[in-house]
Amino acid sequence: MAGACTVSCVAGTTLCADGKCHDLANDNLNCGACSSAGTTDKACPAGQVCSAGACATSCVSGTSLCTDGKCHDLQTDNANCGTCGSACPAGQVCSAGACATSCISGTSLCTDGKCHDLQTDNANCGTCGTACEAGKVCSAGACTTSCVSGTSLCTDGKCHDLQTDNANCGTC
């Protein structure tokens, strides 16, 4: 870039002062933001994990703490599919907690190598990589301040149909 070699991070990671790409949503040493050069000022204290960009004593709903000390979505994480440490073979993706050659119906394979529901995923709303701004949720493929009729906003920050959603049946 501009005649010089630069580091290019994959989607979902950020280039920090240490010259490496970090997942600020799950990195215990760079939680929510990059640590300052030569420091660990954004590191989570002992006994806590970085979950959804904040230090907490446990992982946010929908994620599990694995032996690497990070929270992972076992439904979509290719390196931890269904259970911690269970990686999908090359050419397969983790969809609904199982390795498959393609995403399950209603989800799309995005550039991060994961299947996402573009109708409800706040980080991939309507299209892969389109994130909703703070205070908005992805509902029916559009970033909005409320859920569409027939759905409810749950604690995971997503709109769910409580009549048909197996993970949120009757209540969030």
Side-chain angles (χ1 to χ4, degrees):
M1 175 178 264
C5 295
T6 62
V7 175
S8 176
C9 297
V10 296
T13 63
T14 302
L15 180 62
C16 292
D18 64 0
K20 297 178 183 173
C21 299
H22 296 276
D23 179 352
L24 303 181
N26 294 308
D27 188 330
N28 289 343
L29 297 177
N30 297 279
C31 190
C34 294
S35 289
S36 301
T39 72
T40 56
D41 59 330
K42 297 298 179 184
C44 292
Q48 291 192 357
V49 295
C50 183
S51 183
C55 295
T57 55
S58 63
C59 299
V60 296
S61 177
T63 63
S64 299
L65 180 62
C66 293
T67 55
D68 64 358
K70 296 180 180 181
C71 300
H72 297 278
D73 183 344
L74 302 180
Q75 298 298 300
T76 62
D77 188 336
N78 289 342
N80 298 281
C81 189
T83 59
C84 292
S86 179
C88 291
Q92 291 192 353
V93 295
C94 184
S95 184
C99 296
T101 54
S102 63
C103 298
I104 62 168
S105 178
T107 63
S108 299
L109 182 62
C110 293
T111 56
D112 63 358
K114 297 180 181 179
C115 300
H116 296 279
D117 182 345
L118 302 181
Q119 298 299 301
T120 62
D121 188 334
N122 289 343
N124 298 281
C125 189
T127 60
C128 293
T130 300
C132 294
E133 59 191 61
K136 292 193 175 187
V137 294
C138 183
S139 183
C143 294
T144 180
T145 55
S146 62
C147 299
V148 295
S149 178
T151 63
S152 298
L153 181 61
C154 293
T155 56
D156 64 359
K158 295 180 180 179
C159 300
H160 296 277
D161 183 342
L162 304 182
Q163 302 299 310
T164 61
D165 188 335
N166 289 339
N168 297 281
C169 187
T171 186
C172 292

